[in-house]
């Protein structure tokens, strides 16, 4: 009877403890140099040659190629911290590494691991009590204090250079998506805060927009580029000729038959465009494709249209405009249309979409290069999480 495979390893007793502690501490050592105001960024290169430059603990640990089971447990510490608090991942891992280092000293004094664990549990409870003692009450309207919280979160990261500007945007964004519950507590819905990035400008030129940003162009040059007080159709159906699922051949005996076939396709597209016109829509954001002929007819009707809009953008537009995402033009109703204003920024080649009663805000983060805006986005995401947790917890 074979219990263990030929290539399996077995480590036990004191050797196993040392092996596990060494592996966990190696992970902690890998990220601790990124901690604090003097923390250094890491450059990570994956097997495909893609480069990530970051100061964010959980990003470093996720990108690192680790196959040690103990080290993976330490990575789970960072991931849990990221999910629950949004920031402090490097700190959590560094503390775990230091606790293991001290545990090693205790084990060498022949203190049993169970006693060490019990001691750490008691210390954890004591630490929680101390935190409760020193925690300060935070008023959700206290912008100055919330900005300090945001700035602290961004300290030591690439967002640090413009942290005053960014902290102001973060606090305003959180305040716009905060609602007061019946019991007096505050609920922050970060689903309604969207981050968009753009290269070629300074991070200090980042801005907060009430509504959504859609990085698309009008599908036809003759279309209007803006619409005030518009009815907006969010469409998840292609405005194209419906093709059959099976391969088909059409036999044609004369040029007239070919023309008839083409006319029929054209009338199909005309009918789809007419359905959009009849719905009363002034603007169409389509998640799928729009045929060249349909683009021409939409432009003739003075309807602004954008195609292949991202699914995430469509869901966000639904929140901003208050409409529904339509999957079948035959069943479109007035209640399905969203309402708001659409304007075009030709310099940045973006649509700005504002709803009449917008439930969403967009932070447009700018930076000089892709690596800069990627790291800026990670820093701002952490600060958003921390400020929203502070507002929701009230401490």
């Amino acid at each position: 009877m074979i219990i263990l495979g030929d290539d399996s390893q077995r480590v036990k007793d004191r050797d196993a403890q040392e092996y596990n502690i060494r592996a966990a501490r190696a992970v902690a050592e890998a990220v601790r140099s990124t901690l604090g105001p003097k923390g250094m960024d890491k450059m990570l290169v994956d097997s495909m040659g893609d480069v990530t430059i970051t100061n964010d603990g959980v990003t470093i640990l996720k990108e690192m190629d680790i196959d040690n089971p103990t080290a993976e447990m330490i990575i789970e510490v960072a991931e849990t911290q990221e999910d629950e608090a949004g920031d402090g991942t490097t700190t959590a891992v560094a503390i775990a590494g230091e606790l293991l280092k001290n545990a090693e000293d205790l084990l060498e004094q022949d203190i049993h691991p169970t006693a060490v664990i019990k001691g750490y549990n008691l210390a954890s409870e004591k630490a929680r009590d101390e935190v409760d003692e020193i925690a300060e009450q935070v008023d959700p309207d206290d912008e100055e204090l919330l900005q300090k919280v945001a700035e602290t979160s961004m300290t030591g990261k690439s967002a640090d250079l413009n942290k005053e500007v960014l902290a102001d945007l973060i606090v305003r964004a959180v305040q716009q998506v905060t609602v007061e519950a019946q019991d007096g507590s505050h609920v922050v819905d970060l689903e309604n805060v969207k981050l968009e990035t753009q290269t070629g400008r300074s991070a200090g030129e980042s801005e907060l927009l009430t509504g959504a940003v859609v990085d698309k162009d009008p599908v036809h040059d003759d279309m209007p580029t803006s619409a005030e007080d518009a009815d907006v159709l969010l469409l998840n159906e292609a405005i194209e000729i419906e093709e059959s699922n099976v391969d088909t051949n059409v036999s044609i005996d004369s040029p007239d038959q070919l023309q008839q076939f083409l006319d029929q396709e054209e009338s199909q597209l005309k009918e789809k465009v007419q359905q959009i016109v009849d719905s009363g829509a002034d603007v169409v954001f389509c998640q799928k494709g729009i045929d060249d002929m349909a683009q021409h007819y939409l432009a003739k009707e003075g309807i602004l249209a954008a195609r292949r809009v991202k699914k995430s953008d469509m869901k966000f537009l639904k929140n901003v405009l208050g409409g529904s995402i339509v999957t079948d033009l035959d069943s479109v109703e007035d209640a399905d249309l969203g309402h708001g204003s659409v304007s075009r920024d030709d310099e940045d080649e973006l649509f700005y979409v504002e709803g009449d009663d917008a439930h969403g805000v967009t932070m447009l983060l700018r930076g000089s290069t892709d690596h800069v805006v990627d790291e800026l986005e990670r820093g701002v995401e952490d600060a958003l999480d921390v400020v929203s947790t502070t507002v929701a917890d009230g401490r």
Side-chain angles (χ1 to χ4, degrees):
M1 184 170 73
I2 298 170
I3 297 173
L4 299 172
D6 294 338
D7 58 348
S8 61
Q9 284 180 287
R10 188 176 181 198
V11 189
K12 58 181 183 176
D13 300 336
R14 185 57 62 84
D15 289 342
Q17 289 169 353
E18 285 179 9
Y19 172 78
N20 288 335
I21 289 171
R22 228 176 16 247
R25 284 185 61 194
V27 175
E29 289 294 328
V31 294
R32 66 182 292 170
S33 60
T34 67
L35 191 59
K38 294 184 179 179
M40 305 284 275
D41 287 7
K42 301 279 187 198
M43 179 187 279
L44 307 165
V45 184
D46 67 13
S47 56
M48 302 294 288
D50 293 333
V51 176
T52 306
I53 300 171
T54 183
N55 191 289
D56 185 42
V58 77
T59 306
I60 294 165
L61 294 173
K62 280 180 178 174
E63 293 286 337
M64 278 165 66
D65 190 12
I66 291 173
D67 58 2
N68 181 288
T70 315
E72 284 175 0
M73 288 167 69
I74 294 292
I75 293 170
E76 284 178 18
V77 170
E79 289 176 346
T80 305
Q81 176 71 14
E82 177 82 0
D83 292 342
E84 292 300 319
D87 197 10
T89 50
T90 310
T91 308
V93 171
I95 288 173
E98 286 302 307
L99 289 173
L100 286 167
K101 180 182 173 184
N102 284 285
E104 203 167 20
D105 295 341
L106 296 170
L107 292 173
E108 284 173 3
Q109 295 170 38
D110 285 332
I111 297 171
H112 196 274
T114 312
V116 176
I117 293 166
K118 192 174 181 184
Y120 280 174
N121 277 326
L122 289 168
S124 167
E125 288 169 19
K126 177 66 178 169
R128 283 197 187 92
D129 292 341
E130 289 294 324
V131 167
D132 287 340
E133 286 285 314
I134 63 170
E136 287 185 35
Q137 292 298 314
V138 178
D139 185 339
D141 297 324
D142 188 348
E143 289 185 17
E144 191 179 336
L145 183 57
L146 291 175
Q147 280 183 16
K148 285 180 182 175
V149 171
E151 286 179 27
T152 302
S153 178
M154 289 186 283
T155 300
K157 300 177 181 176
S158 63
D160 199 351
L161 295 170
N162 300 94
K163 64 183 181 184
E164 289 87 359
V165 175
L166 295 171
D168 178 50
L169 300 182
I170 288 162
V171 172
R172 278 166 44 207
V174 169
Q175 285 179 335
Q176 289 202 40
V177 296
T178 301
V179 291
E180 192 169 342
Q182 289 180 340
D183 61 358
S185 64
H186 292 83
V187 179
V188 184
D189 187 5
L190 285 184
E191 288 286 312
N192 287 330
V193 178
K194 197 160 194 306
L195 297 182
E196 287 286 334
T197 58
Q198 201 177 45
T199 56
R201 307 263 285 274
S202 155
E205 294 178 61
S206 300
E207 53 187 315
L208 182 70
L209 306 161
T210 306
V213 172
V214 181
D215 188 6
K216 289 289 173 186
D217 296 315
V219 291
H220 198 283
D221 291 341
D222 293 338
M223 284 179 172
T225 54
S226 61
E228 290 291 322
D229 194 24
D231 290 323
V232 184
L233 175 63
L234 304 175
L235 186 63
N236 186 14
E237 180 190 354
I239 311 174
E240 295 174 331
I241 301 298
E242 293 174 14
E243 295 186 7
S244 62
N245 294 328
V246 293
D247 291 335
T248 52
N249 291 315
V250 180
S251 300
I252 292 171
D253 300 326
S254 68
D256 292 344
Q257 284 179 320
L258 177 60
Q259 192 57 47
Q260 273 181 323
F261 184 74
L262 294 172
D263 289 346
Q264 193 175 351
E265 286 198 337
E266 191 176 328
S267 67
Q268 233 183 335
L269 287 170
K270 268 185 178 174
E271 189 182 336
K272 281 181 181 283
V273 173
Q274 191 56 48
Q275 284 175 315
I276 293 170
V277 174
D278 293 343
S279 73
D282 306 303
V283 180
V284 178
F285 288 112
C286 184
Q287 197 174 325
K288 295 181 178 171
I290 301 177
D291 190 276
D292 291 354
M293 187 76 72
Q295 294 172 21
H296 166 72
Y297 289 131
L298 286 166
K300 273 180 74 174
E301 296 290 347
I303 294 173
L304 168 58
R307 64 178 169 179
R308 308 212 183 281
V309 178
K310 288 187 293 190
K311 185 179 180 181
S312 58
D313 285 347
M314 293 290 280
K315 286 172 75 174
F316 194 64
L317 284 167
K318 179 173 176 271
N319 287 349
V320 170
L321 297 165
S324 304
I325 297 174
V326 176
T327 52
D328 184 9
L329 276 171
D330 294 333
S331 61
V332 67
E333 298 173 355
D334 286 348
D336 295 325
L337 298 179
H339 304 281
S341 299
V342 180
S343 57
R344 177 82 176 155
D345 186 330
D346 290 321
E347 186 184 344
D348 292 335
E349 297 184 340
L350 300 167
F351 283 118
Y352 296 149
V353 184
E354 293 184 72
D356 295 340
D357 184 23
H359 293 298
V361 293
T362 300
M363 281 188 72
L364 189 55
L365 301 175
R366 295 190 165 103
S368 51
T369 67
D370 285 334
H371 287 129
V372 170
V373 292
D374 285 349
E375 179 63 353
L376 190 67
E377 187 175 8
R378 283 189 281 267
V380 168
E381 276 178 352
D382 285 357
L384 271 171
D385 283 336
V386 171
V387 173
S388 67
T389 305
T390 305
V391 170
D393 190 82
R395 295 180 299 171

